Amino acid sequence: MTVRSLSTAVEHRIDRAARRVLDAGHQPHRPLRLALTEFLVFGAKQAWACTFGALLLATMAVVHLTVPVGSRNDVTTVAAVLLQVGMLVFGLETVRELRVVLLFHVVGTVMEVFKTHMGSWTYEQSGVLVVLGVPLFSGFMYGAVGSYMVRVYRLFDLRFDRYPRQWVLAVVAALVYANFFGHHFVWDARYVLLALVVLLFGATTMHARVHRTVLRMPVLVAMALVALFIWVAENVATWAGAWSYPAQAAAWHPVAPTKIVAWLLLMLISVALVTWVYPAVRPGGADHRGPARPVRRSAGSRRLRGARAADPHRLRESRPSGTTSARRESSAFRGRAPLG
C-alpha cells in the first residue's frame, strides 16, 4: 500500500456514495451510461481537488465586496488560516498533504517578498499580518496550488510512462526558481527553460484513473491546462484586489496571457515538490527509480485457491476495522477495475 493511495475519511464516504449512486448497484454496460459516469466522477474529483483553492478564491471575492479596504488583508489572512485548519480537522486533507502545502507556502512567500520588493506586483499596504510588506495570505495562494497538485496526484492515482530522473527534474526546477529572481539582474532565460521543460517531459505520458477508466494524456498538456486554469483564477484574484500588476494600477483589466508561461514554469516546480514527497510511479506499480522487487513467499504462507484467489478484494474483509476503515487503499470514487 502506498501513501499516495490513502484517502481521508470524507473521501471514503464519497467513494461509497459514488459507487451506489452512479452505478446503481451494478456495472454500467451501456456506452452512454458509462461515459456519463466517468464524466461526473472526473468533474467531482477535480472539484474535490480544488476545494482549498476554490474556497480561498471565494473568500477573496467576498472580502473584496464586504470588508473595508484597510482590513481586507488581515481578514483574508485569518480566513485562509481557518480554511486550512478546517481542511485538516474535518478530514478534507491529510497530514502528509499538509506538509506539502506548507512547503509550497514557504517557497511562495519567499518569492512574493522578493517580487514585491522589485515592483513586479503590489499589495494594498494595510493590516498587521504582514511580513516584509507582503500580507501573509499570499503564501496560501501557493499553498492552494500545492493542495491541488498533491490531491489530484492521489485522487486520480497518477502513474507515468518515461518519467524523467528525479535529480534532473530537481536541477531544472531549481534553475526555473532561480530565474524568477535572477531575471531582474541578468538575461531572462524563461523561454530557454521552457524549452528544457518541453525536452524533459516531451515523451512523458500520464495515466489517470477516473472511475473505471484510465485516461492517458501527455504530461505537458496536463501542465498547460493547469497553468491556464491558474491564470483564470489569477484574473479573479486581481479583480478582487488581492494584488495588482503595474499595468492594473489605473484600472483593472485582464492579466496578460503571457503570464501563462510563468505559471507553466511554476508547474515544473510544483511537480518537482510533489514527486519529491510522493515519488512518481510507473503504470505497472514500480516507481521511476527502478523496477519493483519480487516478493518472496515465506515458508508458512499459503497459496489462495478458488474464489478467494479470483477476488483479491476479499483479503480486505479479514483486516481489522477501526481507524484503517477511514483510510482505504482506494482513492475517492475508485472502482474495482485494475489500472491500465
Side-chain angles (χ1 to χ4, degrees), residues 4 12 30 49 93 165 193 196 204 237 239 301:
R4 189 186 60 265
H12 171 53
R30 296 180 180 179
E93 194 168 68
R165 292 184 178 275
L193 293 170
L196 285 178
T204 305
W239 168 82
S301 62

Side-chain angles (χ1 to χ4, degrees), residues 283-312:
D287 66 37
H288 69 278
R289 293 170 296 184
R293 296 182 179 179
V295 178
R296 295 183 180 179
R297 183 181 298 276
S298 62
S301 62
R302 295 183 297 136
R303 183 183 299 275
L304 297 177
R305 295 184 175 85
R308 292 183 68 193
D311 187 5

Side-chain angles (χ1 to χ4, degrees), residues 114 116 130 157 171 207 252 257 272 321 328:
F114 177 82
T116 53
V130 176
D157 198 20
V171 169
H207 301 246
W252 181 86
S321 60
R328 296 287 183 175

Side-chain angles (χ1 to χ4, degrees), residues 85-163:
V85 173
M87 291 280 291
L88 190 63
V89 171
F90 293 105
L92 307 182
E93 194 168 68
T94 66
V95 175
R96 189 177 180 87
E97 289 172 346
L98 179 62
R99 292 202 293 264
V100 179
V101 171
L102 292 178
L103 183 60
F104 273 79
H105 196 293
V106 172
V107 170
T109 300
V110 171
M111 188 165 67
E112 286 289 316
V113 170
F114 177 82
K115 285 290 192 178
T116 53
H117 177 73
M118 298 302 297
S120 297
W121 52 79
T122 58
Y123 289 93
E124 179 67 35
Q125 297 301 310
S126 62
V128 296
L129 300 177
V130 176
V131 54
L132 299 177
V134 176
L136 291 178
F137 74 79
S138 64
F140 286 96
M141 295 185 293
Y142 293 87
V145 176
S147 177
Y148 171 80
M149 290 290 294
V150 72
R151 287 157 69 84
V152 79
Y153 192 76
R154 173 173 53 79
L155 290 171
F156 286 92
D157 198 20
L158 298 185
R159 301 292 193 272
F160 301 89
D161 277 332
R162 296 177 293 277
Y163 193 85

